[in-house]
């Protein structure tokens, strides 16, 4: 992360672990794949993608017998569809343990939906091999990763289909990557305060109460910053899962515009406030008012401007052209 809040952020290249079949690798039970063009054509230009396949990687081979989840949602077993005596739960769990060190270094993980190994939610589960399937389980590998690394930005592919969910995932991926970089490089006491100040507008766009709570935590913490940091980053990533709202965005945008006031010409500022008003009324899209504030911030080069990460929390080439709030 750029340590100087007067400059737009410089983006590091985060590592994202991904189900190998989504990257086009022919590792599915039938030898096929489920390549997602967004991953291989767009995200790959900005993010280091690391492939993993729990089923092929745990020695089940390609092609292989399809498996399904049987039992209760809290502790399902992965059994071969055509031979329920073949239980592959343990190899899948072992594979998760073997990849744990690597996953700790990653800034996020994106898994294939519906898979009895990789699916994060809504995977088909049967009480017995012949019972009716219900969508209520988590895949064996996904559950193991979630239990071991609860703070890791972990999602399944369908978050990419919904603009605000995709935005939230990218936001958490890059925020956690900046945090990992901070842990590696920063030594001074003020590191946590600076990190918090730069991320606070992103929090306030989702929850003002959470923003105040995190600020109190940072200000009152007596522990060395990297010890205080673990509960901090978990709470921060948790808030960033929530959708932003138009009203909260408007408040953040206004306060950032006000912070530029002494350095921006009065007519430019008046125009910016008119655009903010139009955004609040719903007659101007978020992207327009966002771009207007970015132009003003560049002109102002304000030393205390803390809105750069709010304006560009991840590389602009990944930004969706649609608004990023759930409400819009
Ligand atoms: S869903 Fe997971 S286990 Fe299945 S082929 Fe894809 S990467 Fe492998």
């Amino acid at each position: 992360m750029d340590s100087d809040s007067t400059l737009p952020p410089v983006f590091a290249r985060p590592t994202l672990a991904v189900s190998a079949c989504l990257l086009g690798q022919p590792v599915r039970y039938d030898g096929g794949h489920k390549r997602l063009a967004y991953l291989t054509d767009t995200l790959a230009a900005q993010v280091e993608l690391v492939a993993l396949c729990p089923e092929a990687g745990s020695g089940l081979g390609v092609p292989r017998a399809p498996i399904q989840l049987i039992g209760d949602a809290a502790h399902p077993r992965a059994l071969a569809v055509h031979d329920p005596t073949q239980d592959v739960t343990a190899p899948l769990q072992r594979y998760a343990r073997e990849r744990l060190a690597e996953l700790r270094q990653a800034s996020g993980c994106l898994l294939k939906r519906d898979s009895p190994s990789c699916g994060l939610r809504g995977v088909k589960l049967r009480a017995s091999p012949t019972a009716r399937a219900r969508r209520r389980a988590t895949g064996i590998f996904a559950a193991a990763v979630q239990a071991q690394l609860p703070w890791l930005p972990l999602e399944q592919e369908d978050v990419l289909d919904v603009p605000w969910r995709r935005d939230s995932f990218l936001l958490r991926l890059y925020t956690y990557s900046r945090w990992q970089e901070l842990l590696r490089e920063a030594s001074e006491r003020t590191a946590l305060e600076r990190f918090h100040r730069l991320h606070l507008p992103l929090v306030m766009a989702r929850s003002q109460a959470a923003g105040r709570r995190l600020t109190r935590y940072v200000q009152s913490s007596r522990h060395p910053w990297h010890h205080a940091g673990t509960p901090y980053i978990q709470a921060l990533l948790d808030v960033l899962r929530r959708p932003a709202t138009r009203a909260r965005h408007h408040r953040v945008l206004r306060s950032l515009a006000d912070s530029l006031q002494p350095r921006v010409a009065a007519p430019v500022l008046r125009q910016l406030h008119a655009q903010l008003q139009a955004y609040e009324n719903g007659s101007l899209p978020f992207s327009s008012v966002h771009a207007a504030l970015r132009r003003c911030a560049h002109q102002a080069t304000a030393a205390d401007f803390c809105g750069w990460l709010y304006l560009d929390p991840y590389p602009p080439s990944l930004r969706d052209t649609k608004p990023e709030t759930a409400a819009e």
Side-chain angles (χ1 to χ4, degrees):
M1 180 180 63
D2 195 318
S3 60
D4 187 344
S5 61
T6 65
L7 295 171
V10 174
F11 296 102
R13 194 175 163 84
T15 299
L16 177 66
V18 183
S19 292
C21 56
L22 297 179
L23 297 178
Q25 296 188 9
V27 289
R28 277 169 59 82
Y29 72 95
D30 57 0
H33 65 77
K34 289 281 181 181
R35 187 176 83 87
L36 268 187
Y38 176 78
L39 290 177
T40 55
D41 301 351
T42 304
L43 210 57
Q46 303 289 348
V47 170
E48 199 63 42
L49 300 175
V50 175
L52 48 83
C53 176
E55 293 180 23
S58 58
L60 301 186
V62 182
R64 57 185 172 272
I67 58 176
Q68 61 182 346
L69 294 180
I70 306 294
D72 68 279
H75 304 286
R77 308 295 299 176
L79 309 182
V81 172
H82 302 300
D83 178 6
T85 63
Q86 266 188 51
D87 185 334
V88 298
T89 314
L92 291 172
Q93 289 170 333
R94 191 169 56 242
Y95 178 82
R97 286 195 297 276
E98 285 167 3
R99 301 293 299 251
L100 209 56
E102 204 178 341
L103 284 166
R104 273 185 210 285
Q105 301 305 316
S107 304
C109 182
L110 189 75
L111 297 174
K112 168 83 179 68
R113 74 180 135 195
D114 294 339
S115 156
S117 305
C118 290
L120 195 57
R121 55 188 164 264
V123 179
K124 281 184 188 168
L125 173 76
R126 295 172 199 274
S128 71
T130 52
R132 198 158 64 88
R134 291 166 187 262
R135 289 192 170 274
R136 34 188 306 230
T138 297
I140 303 292
F141 175 78
V145 174
Q146 204 168 32
Q148 291 298 319
L149 304 172
W151 57 87
L152 183 73
L154 172 68
E155 283 295 352
Q156 60 180 17
E157 60 180 303
D158 50 7
V159 293
L160 302 177
D161 300 339
V162 183
W164 81 263
R165 287 189 188 279
R166 180 192 296 190
D167 173 73
S168 165
F169 180 61
L170 292 174
L171 187 53
R172 285 178 284 137
L173 173 71
Y174 275 86
T175 298
Y176 190 48
S177 167
R178 283 189 289 272
W179 179 256
Q180 289 170 311
E181 197 183 332
L182 192 74
L183 287 179
R184 281 193 296 271
E185 293 178 0
S187 55
E188 74 274 32
R189 272 187 61 245
T190 53
L192 181 60
E193 286 97 321
R194 195 177 67 243
F195 185 92
H196 177 63
R197 193 159 62 89
L198 294 174
H199 289 81
L200 185 57
L202 291 163
V203 175
M204 297 299 264
R206 285 153 183 87
S207 165
Q208 295 210 318
R212 285 193 289 271
R213 209 165 43 244
L214 281 171
T215 300
R216 273 198 304 276
Y217 178 80
V218 168
Q219 288 171 347
S220 65
S221 175
R222 300 212 173 99
H223 301 294
W225 76 267
H226 40 280
H227 289 303
T230 305
Y232 170 82
I233 190 64
Q234 290 183 11
L236 174 64
L237 292 171
D238 211 36
V239 183
L240 298 182
R241 297 179 73 89
R242 304 185 201 174
T245 66
R246 182 184 293 269
R248 292 197 195 99
H249 263 316
H250 178 252
R251 249 180 254 137
V252 172
L253 287 161
R254 271 191 61 155
S255 117
L256 290 174
D258 288 346
S259 76
L260 294 173
Q261 196 162 10
R263 300 166 196 86
V264 178
V268 176
L269 207 60
R270 267 199 300 281
Q271 194 189 5
L272 178 59
H273 277 287
Q275 288 171 305
L276 287 173
Q277 188 71 53
Y279 170 66
E280 189 184 21
N281 298 340
S283 55
L284 196 69
F286 181 75
S287 54
S288 302
V289 71
H290 200 258
L293 180 60
R294 192 188 289 112
R295 276 196 301 278
C296 283
H298 273 288
Q299 280 172 22
T301 58
D304 53 355
F305 183 65
C306 59
W308 289 118
L309 277 181
Y310 170 76
L311 292 172
D312 285 313
Y314 47 80
S317 62
L318 300 179
R319 185 176 289 286
D320 204 289
T321 50
K322 291 176 190 159
E324 66 173 48
T325 68
E328 289 174 309

